[in-house]
Amino acid sequence: MLNIVLFGPPGSGKGTQASKIIEKYNLTHISTGDLLRQEVADQTELGKKAKEIMDKGELVSDDIVIGMIRNKLNVNQGGAGFIFDGFPRTVDQARELRKALTDLDERVSVMISLDVPKEELVKRLMKRGEETGRSDDNMETINNRIDVYSRQTVPVTYYYDKMHKHAPVDGTGTVDKIFERIVEVIEKVN
Ligand code: B4P
């Protein structure tokens, strides 16, 4: 199986590129952001707790996120592989992902991180906020999300560096150009 971790700061294009990767490689998409937003839309107890945290730009607790991932892995076995979009976001989540995949006799093939400068991230997310009204795409929350990323999420890159699985990709330019760079990386491990 081809199991890809798609990594990067908020607004780096993870969701955008994930849909192109899925189309080409027929992978099962697991986006913790989408799963959490679905819980919010369904107004579940989990969704109510998550909304408060997401609107501040903080990370939802590891326990909740890991539980959601295990459920998704269990009901989607037997495909071409998985793309993890926006997960893992902490080193503990990365360790838990490793355990969950090992239980299925699987492993992460590559972790692709999208590099985008902060000014560009803010520009993209402010634009999305204006277009879609997404409640965490406002200046205050965007700045906090980027701070949280630097403090809590960047260490995940060192975890995959140690395993020689981290492939940084330039996340600036057109969506198609970035996708070409990603495909080049995937072809090397596929
Ligand atoms: P996510 O849903 O993962 O949101 P995100 O980081 O903003 O990335 P997203 O995929 O939506 O945006 P993209 O970069 O594609 O997380 C939201 C919140 O959920 C987190 O803050 C956290 O609270 C919680 N959460 C999620 N996962 C969690 C976890 N594992 N643990 C704990 N908490 C978790 O795109 C952004 C914009 O850029 C789009 O409008 C797009 O059209 C545009 N864009 C993309 N590529 C472009 C390009 N090349 N040029 C110009 N614009 C581009």
Side-chain angles (χ1 to χ4, degrees):
M1 277 166 83
L2 175 65
N3 298 310
I4 299 173
V5 169
L6 192 55
F7 187 89
S12 56
K14 300 183 293 287
T16 308
Q17 295 297 332
S19 48
K20 294 182 75 71
I21 298 170
I22 290 156
E23 204 184 313
K24 183 167 170 76
Y25 295 98
N26 205 18
L27 304 178
T28 302
H29 187 205
I30 304 189
S31 157
T32 40
D34 287 352
L35 291 172
L36 289 166
R37 278 185 289 277
Q38 190 58 51
E39 296 282 342
V40 173
D42 294 344
Q43 299 189 332
T44 63
E45 278 311 306
L46 193 162
K48 285 179 199 159
K49 272 191 232 160
K51 180 165 176 26
E52 233 178 272
I53 299 168
M54 290 163 83
D55 282 350
K56 285 191 225 150
E58 300 290 329
L59 294 183
V60 174
S61 83
D62 285 344
D63 287 354
I64 290 180
V65 173
I66 290 159
M68 290 190 326
I69 290 282
R70 281 202 178 258
N71 282 344
K72 274 294 231 182
L73 287 177
N74 286 336
V75 295
N76 286 291
Q77 289 180 43
F82 294 99
I83 180 154
F84 300 94
D85 163 4
F87 175 88
R89 263 175 155 95
T90 64
V91 173
D92 277 345
Q93 289 182 15
R95 290 198 188 106
E96 289 298 326
L97 175 62
R98 188 178 187 186
K99 281 190 215 157
L101 286 175
T102 304
D103 289 349
L104 302 174
D105 259 338
E106 283 297 328
R107 61 193 184 89
V108 167
S109 313
V110 65
M111 182 265 221
I112 298 173
S113 65
L114 296 170
D115 292 336
V116 178
K118 183 173 174 183
E119 315 78 75
E120 172 72 13
L121 299 173
V122 173
K123 206 169 85 188
R124 288 182 190 178
L125 293 173
M126 285 299 288
K127 183 162 176 264
R128 183 172 66 185
E130 280 156 23
E131 286 168 0
T132 68
R134 200 170 120 170
S135 62
D136 57 348
D137 285 342
N138 61 75
M139 190 54 92
E140 197 185 341
T141 306
I142 290 168
N143 278 321
N144 194 40
R145 283 158 68 195
I146 295 173
D147 275 359
V148 166
Y149 172 80
S150 308
R151 280 185 279 115
Q152 293 178 256
T153 305
V154 165
V156 174
T157 58
Y158 311 135
Y159 179 88
Y160 287 103
D161 271 336
K162 274 192 224 147
M163 292 197 269
H164 308 287
K165 291 196 171 171
H166 175 203
V169 164
D170 177 359
T172 61
T174 65
V175 169
D176 287 342
K177 186 70 209 164
I178 299 162
F179 182 59
E180 266 175 40
R181 296 178 192 132
I182 291 176
V183 168
E184 237 176 80
V185 171
I186 296 176
E187 289 303 320
K188 285 188 197 147
V189 297
N190 196 17

